[in-house]
């Protein structure tokens, strides 16, 4: 059996939305996209590098799946590990 490792970027008040860029996810009139950028330092870069340096699969919600599918294939030089990962999309009915 494989482990499930959750890597989540979340604020102290519970925001998990739109961490990558200002227009990543504006649903619900969310205007604070890109909130992680000022906090992304060498330590966090090392953590992320470690997470994607071994073979892994990704379990993604619909919006995140769409964001990944439109971005990472065009950024092979920085997304090698992510592009090699098998991606599974969660569908809630």
């Amino acid at each position: 059996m494989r482990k499930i490792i959750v890597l989540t970027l979340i604020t102290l008040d519970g925001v998990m939305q739109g961490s990558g860029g200002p227009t990543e996810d504006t649903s619900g009139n969310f205007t604070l996209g890109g909130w992680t950028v000022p906090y992304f330092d060498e330590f966090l870069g090392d953590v992320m590098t470690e997470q994607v340096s071994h073979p892994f699969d990704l379990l993604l919600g619909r919006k995140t799946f769409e964001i990944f599918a439109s971005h990472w294939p065009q950024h092979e030089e920085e997304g090698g590990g992510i592009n090699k990962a098998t991606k599974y999309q969660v569908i809630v009915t």
Side-chain angles (χ1 to χ4, degrees), residues 1-89:
M1 182 177 291
R2 293 172 59 185
K3 291 181 183 180
I4 294 178
I5 299 171
V6 177
L7 181 61
T8 303
L9 301 173
I10 184 169
T11 64
L12 292 174
D13 59 353
V15 175
M16 293 180 13
Q17 180 179 10
S19 61
T23 59
E24 180 178 329
D25 180 4
T26 58
S27 61
N29 296 317
F30 184 70
T31 61
L32 302 174
W35 58 267
T36 61
V37 175
Y39 305 104
F40 204 95
D41 60 9
E42 185 177 345
F43 176 80
L44 184 52
D46 291 344
V47 169
M48 297 300 285
T49 298
E50 173 61 25
Q51 291 298 314
V52 299
S53 65
H54 307 285
F56 64 96
D57 297 338
L58 287 170
L59 180 62
L60 306 166
R62 180 185 55 84
K63 286 186 180 192
T64 305
F65 183 88
E66 291 170 355
I67 291 165
F68 272 53
S70 68
H71 178 81
W72 288 112
Q74 290 76 38
H75 295 67
E76 185 64 37
E77 69 287 350
E78 59 183 302
I82 289 174
N83 286 329
K84 291 176 186 169
T86 301
K87 294 158 191 74
Y88 298 93
Q89 181 180 354

